Amino acid sequence: MPKIVDHDQRRAALARAVWAVIDQEGIEGATVRRVAEEAGVSVGGLRHYFDSQRGLLLFAAREVASAVGARVTAHLRGDLPGPERARRLLEELLPLDAERRVEVDVWLACLMRSRVDPALAELRRAGWEGERHVCRLAVAHRRAAAPPPAIGDELGDPLLERLAERLHVFIDGLTLQAAAYQERLPPRAVRALLAAELDAIARQR
């Protein structure tokens, strides 16, 4: 009988291998050959998923978007108070542990590469829209307001929309600094800054 391949399991295993290599050796060290070695498969076995470092980066970015989206969805479905839900949603975008640090490294690499690689341009656009949506959701839940129903929908109140725009810029800056200066911004400090920003959003009139 032919061997049955579970592609979802294979993708998950390859994503873990990509994360591990990037965590150990950085983006530039994540070659197709190195990922195949980490995953315990042949280089030929990866061709269905990617066959170059460019393809590997695209695969990794899509896996990041999928992983973050799944965690965000879980928080939205969970029974959480508004302020806690807002905090947890935003924490999924920040490099607060090994997994999320690798995700941020991958995403930042994609953003830089997207300026010269049209294949990554759509991911960059979708990533911006997705992050703005998470920021709108966080503002809505922190302020006990109606959340936007879909990505791209604005908050009904102009003040809340301005707060979401400011929060988006804050999260981007905090993400970049926490990724680049881990010794100055450990997870405890990142969480404290996030809590202060959410408190300021709650007080804004």
Side-chain angles (χ1 to χ4, degrees), residues 126-141:
W128 191 96
E129 291 287 356
E131 186 176 343
R132 177 58 64 88
H133 185 62
V134 171
C135 289
R136 285 170 172 150
L137 290 169
V139 168
H141 288 294

Side-chain angles (χ1 to χ4, degrees), residues 33 41 55 67 70 87 94 97 101 109 134 136 141 160 173 193:
R33 185 171 299 279
V41 300
R87 175 182 60 80
L94 296 166
D97 53 32
R101 280 196 300 272
V134 171
R136 285 170 172 150
H141 288 294
L160 299 188
L193 287 168

